[in-house]
Amino acid sequence: MQTKLSSSLFSFVNHKYDRHQVALYLGIVIASLLLHVTNAATNGTEDNEGLLATAQNYYKQVVDLLPGKSNENSTTVNQTSNENGTTTTSQRTNRFDFRTILSITVRLLSQALIIFGGVLPYIPQYLIIKRKQNAEGFSNYVCLTLLVANIIRIEFWFGKHFEIPLLIQSIVMILCMLIMLELWTRIHALTMRRQLDTEEGGAGSKEILTDEFLDKKFTDFEVDYFWRWTTFASYLQFLFLITFIFSIMTWLLLKNVVYIETIGFLAVVCEALLGIPQFVRNFRLKSTEGMSVKMVLLWASGDIFKTVYFIIRNAPKQFWLCGILQISIDVAILFQ
């Protein structure tokens, strides 16, 4: 079955992309497998579980909290013997069930907000870019910041396990940023082509401009064009490279507390600086045109919510310190 799945995947990718990109996507699969091996290295005891086993245990914990499950486990309801030797059922059972249901509902909703709340701010910005066919109001360095931060955070999880919802949040955010980055790259390339079409000059000058500005790839290794590449595959190649590097380092230094705490701090610092590229872009252009105000408002509200969540859930201190810094940057962008 794995062979059939692999051949189907190869056929699909080869149909849509060139051979270099096929190698890229296969490399991403290898990186994910390496992450699994990195985690498997900690499985010397029963306390250290793999990612799949941890997710399954988390699901079982949620199911066990359901009222129906708790009632099955406690087949004998609280009974007390009165002076006459008879038994009376506790009248607090219904009230207890209601509180249990409410507690579980609030918990699941808060975890759902933590997982998917980070995606919501980018929906209005995505729609604006797609509707106006102009990506100049959004800084693609926001995508770089979040992608790197969440890749490192996942590496941090292998060394110091934190809550599963926060781990899933990182995976969801990576997917969201890849979607935003693909749209930004496509629209930005179209904008550059339109600008070239309006340039005066002969076909020779246009060809030179096209070669110089519209064909920049990661494999060119030009520092001046870092994160300004014109193909989406170039961004994926860079992300695969840093994932591979961090995976190797984490695998080798998994037992090193200093390294694990350092990458944890690095992950939250990168995420805390999320708004800096947008702030700098607004300041440099003296304009916020093309930037979604709804996105910034959702940034601020989401950062406030998750900071409170981190504090209540006793998350590692790196998380809530990151949240406080993010709120400050959100407020600064709102002032702009």
Side-chain angles (χ1 to χ4, degrees):
M1 182 177 180
Q2 290 181 348
T3 304
K4 184 177 180 181
L5 180 61
S6 301
S7 61
S8 301
L9 177 62
F10 182 83
S11 301
F12 168 75
V13 175
N14 195 34
H15 176 71
K16 298 267 295 185
Y17 304 99
D18 59 30
R19 293 180 180 178
H20 294 289
Q21 296 178 23
V22 171
L24 164 67
Y25 292 114
L26 292 178
I28 292 176
V29 173
I30 294 173
S32 65
L33 292 175
L34 180 59
L35 287 177
H36 179 74
V37 171
T38 301
N39 189 40
T42 66
N43 292 341
T45 62
E46 295 181 355
D47 294 335
N48 294 321
E49 300 166 333
L51 178 57
L52 180 60
T54 305
Q56 290 174 342
N57 288 339
Y58 178 76
Y59 170 77
K60 291 178 181 178
Q61 291 175 8
V62 174
V63 172
D64 289 341
L65 287 174
L66 296 176
K69 191 72 175 179
S70 61
N71 286 340
E72 292 176 4
N73 294 335
S74 55
T75 53
T76 58
V77 186
N78 293 334
Q79 294 180 340
T80 57
S81 299
N82 57 16
E83 296 178 354
N84 297 328
T86 60
T87 60
T88 59
T89 303
S90 174
Q91 298 179 352
R92 297 181 180 179
T93 302
N94 293 334
R95 185 183 302 176
F96 174 78
D97 287 344
F98 174 76
R99 290 179 178 178
T100 303
I101 293 173
L102 181 61
S103 175
I104 294 172
T105 302
V106 171
R107 179 182 177 185
L108 293 178
L109 285 177
S110 63
Q111 291 177 349
L113 285 174
I114 284 294
I115 293 173
F116 299 104
V119 176
L120 298 179
Y122 300 97
I123 295 177
Q125 184 66 66
Y126 182 93
L127 295 176
I128 287 177
I129 294 175
K130 192 171 183 179
R131 184 177 69 252
K132 294 185 176 181
Q133 292 293 296
N134 188 339
E136 301 308 311
F138 177 73
S139 174
N140 70 330
Y141 284 94
V142 171
C143 299
L144 171 64
T145 305
L146 276 178
L147 285 167
V148 173
N150 284 283
I151 288 172
I152 298 176
R153 187 200 281 187
I154 293 174
E155 298 287 349
F156 176 58
W157 184 87
F158 290 116
K160 188 175 182 179
H161 289 193
F162 47 82
E163 289 192 346
I164 288 295
L166 297 179
L167 178 64
I168 299 175
Q169 179 202 43
S170 293
I171 298 173
V172 171
M173 186 57 66
I174 289 174
L175 295 176
C176 172
M177 287 300 100
L178 288 177
I179 293 173
M180 286 292 297
L181 190 58
E182 188 279 330
L183 177 67
W184 187 93
T185 306
R186 177 159 41 88
I187 298 300
H188 183 66
L190 291 175
T191 301
M192 294 179 68
R193 289 190 178 91
R194 286 197 298 265
Q195 291 177 353
L196 288 175
D197 289 339
T198 59
E199 289 286 338
E200 297 181 356
S205 62
K206 285 186 178 181
E207 183 178 353
I208 294 175
L209 287 172
T210 301
D211 292 337
E212 183 177 358
F213 294 103
L214 293 185
D215 191 20
K216 293 300 176 184
K217 299 179 181 179
F218 170 69
T219 51
D220 295 335
F221 300 110
E222 296 185 27
V223 178
D224 293 338
Y225 289 93
F226 174 77
W227 210 249
R228 294 167 55 193
W229 305 303
T230 55
T231 61
F232 182 58
S234 294
Y235 295 97
L236 292 178
Q237 289 167 359
F238 170 77
L239 294 172
F240 161 69
L241 179 62
I242 64 170
T243 301
F244 183 81
I245 292 174
F246 273 104
S247 298
I248 291 294
M249 292 176 61
T250 304
W251 182 51
L252 295 175
L253 301 173
L254 193 62
K255 301 299 183 180
N256 191 312
V257 177
V258 175
Y259 169 77
I260 295 299
E261 292 295 335
T262 299
I263 63 172
F265 181 75
L266 183 61
V268 296
V269 166
C270 289
E271 186 174 353
L273 299 178
L274 161 66
I276 293 295
Q278 191 69 51
F279 180 88
V280 172
R281 180 209 165 276
N282 296 341
F283 180 80
R284 180 171 55 85
L285 298 180
K286 306 298 182 183
S287 172
T288 58
E289 183 179 359
M291 185 191 71
S292 172
V293 179
K294 293 179 181 179
M295 179 184 71
V296 183
L297 289 173
L298 287 171
W299 271 356
S301 59
D303 291 338
I304 292 172
F305 173 80
K306 73 180 182 181
T307 301
V308 174
Y309 179 87
F310 293 154
I311 295 174
I312 294 176
R313 299 295 298 175
N314 294 320
K317 58 181 178 296
Q318 292 98 329
F319 286 92
W320 56 265
L321 287 174
C322 158
I324 293 174
L325 183 55
Q326 280 183 297
I327 294 171
S328 303
I329 297 175
D330 295 339
V331 171
I333 297 177
L334 284 173
F335 273 114
Q336 286 184 322

